[in-house]
């Protein structure tokens, strides 16, 4: 009532419900982070996921470094198509859900990376109020995008959802919250 009719509280509650529903069958969330870039977080994430998959675990990777999305290239899903789940026989409705299936590596690891959608060399940016400048996505916009990804994709039954975090010690703490 006190939000001036914006329904912001309802929207936040709806988003949280979508995220909770999307992650309901994920047993564990694992974050791979570091205080600095270029130390092999993405490589470690992919190799760890591969080793765990080889042991029979169900694994997905979420490349949360939206400004340097390398998992798509490394996992071999660059330019992969994101498709809705198949519809139940005769229903005409896509999978009973509006969530999108993730592309998979050859060994069955599901991967979300912005590098599947845009060239890896293009950082996600937004125009600033100051002319001629732009800033990389941070904090609110980045977490809003992360929430949309978590709520919009079909994560399915997983043993582990691995987050390949962006560089920076403060970012690791932010994502942990």
């Amino acid at each position: 009532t006190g939000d001036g009719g914006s329904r912001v509280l309802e929207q936040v509650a709806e988003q949280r419900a979508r995220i909770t529903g999307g992650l309901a069958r994920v047993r564990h969330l694992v974050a791979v982070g570091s205080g600095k870039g270029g130390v092999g977080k993405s490589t470690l994430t992919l190799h760890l996921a591969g080793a765990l998959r080889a042991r029979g675990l169900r694994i997905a990777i979420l490349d949360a470094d939206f400004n340097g999305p390398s998992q798509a290239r490394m996992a071999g899903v660059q330019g992969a198509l994101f498709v809705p789940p198949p519809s139940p026989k005769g229903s005409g409705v896509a999978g009973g859900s509006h969530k999108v299936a993730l592309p998979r590596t050859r060994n069955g690891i599901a991967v979300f990376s912005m590098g599947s959608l845009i060239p890896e060399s293009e950082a996600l940016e937004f125009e600033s109020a100051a002319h001629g400048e732009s800033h990389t996505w941070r904090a609110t916009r980045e977490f809003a995008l992360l929430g949309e990804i978590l709520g919009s994709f079909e994560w399915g039954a997983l043993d582990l959802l691995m987050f390949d975090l962006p560089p920076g010690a403060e970012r690791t703490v932010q994502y942990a919250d």
Side-chain angles (χ1 to χ4, degrees):
T1 320
D3 67 359
S6 70
R7 294 188 49 247
V8 71
L9 294 177
E10 288 176 43
Q11 291 173 35
V12 169
E14 288 168 7
Q15 177 74 344
R16 282 187 173 200
R18 286 181 55 221
I19 292 169
T20 300
L23 297 178
R25 298 185 322 158
V26 176
R27 290 183 54 206
H28 302 284
L29 304 175
V30 176
V32 178
S34 171
K36 95 181 232 26
V39 297
K41 290 180 300 297
S42 297
T43 302
L44 176 67
T45 302
L46 185 61
H47 287 287
L48 184 56
L52 293 168
R53 177 71 183 126
R55 298 192 103 191
L57 296 177
R58 297 162 299 174
I59 308 289
I61 297 172
L62 192 158
D63 187 352
D65 188 352
F66 304 130
N67 300 304
S70 59
Q71 280 297 341
R73 174 182 41 81
M74 292 173 57
V77 296
Q78 202 170 21
L81 299 175
F82 291 87
V83 295
S87 59
K89 285 187 174 185
S91 75
V93 176
S97 132
H98 299 299
K99 299 203 178 207
V100 178
L102 292 164
R104 295 187 176 272
T105 64
R106 288 184 194 163
N107 60 352
I109 299 169
V111 178
F112 176 87
S113 176
M114 291 302 290
S116 293
L117 304 171
I118 60 173
E120 185 179 339
S121 60
E122 292 182 20
L124 291 180
E125 298 181 353
F126 65 96
E127 293 297 319
S128 71
H131 295 287
E133 289 186 32
S134 63
H135 302 279
T136 56
W137 285 26
R138 292 282 193 222
T140 304
R141 292 178 187 224
E142 202 169 57
F143 289 113
L145 177 59
L146 181 62
E148 284 299 316
I149 292 165
L150 288 171
S152 298
F153 286 87
E154 182 57 52
W155 299 101
L158 295 173
D159 294 302
L160 294 166
L161 173 55
M162 301 184 70
F163 290 81
D164 181 5
L165 299 181
E170 78 287 353
R171 313 290 296 293
T172 303
V173 172
Q174 289 170 341
Y175 275 85
D177 286 342

